[in-house]
């Protein structure tokens, strides 16, 4: 009777995965109740589903200690030598590892000392990684305004939408520390794709922000990265004149327009541990940002670039095409990790004469039934893979 349950959701890959996870959890529980004590899971590169199964079964702790604040490579040589990465790929580690696969050496101290001179191009092989995880295509493909886009980003931050193209995994636990602030600035039209809270000497075993060996202390500068319109960028840049300790970079898709007060690489995460030098695993680097911006902008439209979708009328929603073509990608760092408050910038922007508040409508169909969706939406649903 499994087919009967799958039929109504066959075009909704997320719902099919949810069904599979529930089925696996129930099977394991029944087998365990019957006396089976050993289980072997084959992930077939769908590790997120298997992780959900084992967490649901209570087989692992929700908090898993991390050697570094980002996901390390499974390659033993790379894992042993790589100690530094740009923050921009924090939510897309698979993409970063693919683009640096051909590097002979990896940064193992300071970012500028030993990094390879070039990132891999976003070629046809990499295009699958550009797609990111699946998201609710019935909503994403039917939006009509900036307000609709804002609502989707707000839903993601609140956990009501599972995926966005810029994220390979759910939001990090540390995001809960700044969730209300992220909701605030997304509601203003500054659409966030990466962030981290300010951390000043927190123990390395902390469940939200901890990483590294036991007995250490970790530090972070507050960071946020987002897309915004040219008009909202003007309001931001004018406001930043009152915040001399905030570093920022902004660039459009083509790189023809940019503004920045950044001259060099800036460490935004570091740790102090017993018997070790200070570790600086995450940096903001101007050169890497210009590489990342191509991928970040492409993710607005890449889900619609499959030939089967592109052949349909108005395959790419006009509002997404406009964001892709005209908006800016911005990152900001508050260098005062002791008493800084990056979010005060946005408090001041909200009263700036150049800033125009964004109306955000209530969307009741944010998790619409894809089985009743349009041909374009059904093709998109089939096309995405975990």
């Amino acid at each position: 009777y499994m087919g009967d349950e799958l039929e109504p959701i066959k075009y909704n890959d997320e719902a099919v995965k949810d069904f599979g996870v529930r089925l696996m959890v129930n099977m394991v529980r029944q087998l365990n109740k019957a006396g089976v004590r050993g289980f072997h899971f084959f992930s077939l590169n769908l590790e997120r589903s298997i992780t959900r199964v084992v967490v649901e079964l209570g087989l692992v702790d929700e908090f898993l200690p991390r050697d570094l604040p980002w996901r390390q490579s499974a390659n033993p040589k790379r894992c042993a030598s790589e100690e530094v990465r740009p923050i921009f790929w924090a939510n897309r580690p698979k993409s970063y590892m693919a683009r640096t696969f051909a590097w002979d050496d990896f940064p193992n101290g300071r970012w500028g000392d030993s990094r390879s001179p070039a990132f891999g191009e976003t070629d046809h092989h990499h295009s699958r990684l550009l797609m990111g995880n699946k998201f609710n295509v019935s909503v994403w493909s039917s939006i009509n305004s900036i307000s609709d886009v804002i609502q989707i980003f707000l839903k993601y931050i609140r956990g009501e939408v599972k995926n966005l193209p810029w994220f390979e995994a759910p939001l990090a636990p540390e995001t809960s520390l700044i969730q209300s602030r992220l909701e605030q600035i997304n509601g203003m039209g500054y659409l966030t794709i990466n962030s981290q809270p300010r951390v000043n000497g927190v123990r390395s075993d902390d469940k939200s922000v901890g990483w590294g060996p036991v007995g250490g202390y970790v530090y972070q500068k507050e960071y946020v990265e987002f897309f915004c319109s040219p008009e909202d960028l003007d309001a931001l840049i004018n406001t930043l004149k009152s915040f001399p300790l905030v570093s920022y970079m902004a660039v459009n898709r083509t790189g023809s327009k940019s503004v920045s007060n950044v001259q060099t690489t800036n460490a935004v995460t570091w740790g102090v541990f017993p018997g070790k030098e200070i570790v600086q695993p995450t940096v903001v680097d101007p050169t890497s940002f210009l590489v990342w911006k191509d991928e970040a902008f492409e993710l607005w439209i890449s889900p619609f670039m499959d030939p089967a979708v592109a052949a349909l009328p108005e395959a790419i929603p006009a509002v997404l095409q406009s964001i892709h073509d005209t908006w800016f990608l911005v990152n900001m760092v508050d260098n005062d990790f002791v008493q800084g408050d990056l979010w005060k910038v946005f408090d001041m922007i909200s009263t700036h004469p150049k800033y125009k508040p964004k109306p955000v409508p209530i969307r009741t169909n944010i998790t619409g039934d894809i089985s009743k969706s349009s041909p374009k939406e059904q093709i998109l649903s089939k096309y995405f893979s975990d």
Side-chain angles (χ1 to χ4, degrees), residues 109-128:
R110 300 295 180 266
W111 174 251
D113 292 346
S114 60
R115 71 182 172 102
S116 184
F119 288 84
E121 297 296 329
T122 55
D123 55 17
H124 177 69
H125 172 72
H126 188 257
S127 66
R128 291 296 295 180

Side-chain angles (χ1 to χ4, degrees), residues 128-141:
R128 291 296 295 180
L129 288 168
L130 278 178
M131 297 304 166
N133 287 317
K134 292 188 298 296
F135 48 90
N136 194 316
V137 292
S138 70
V139 174
W140 194 255
S141 62

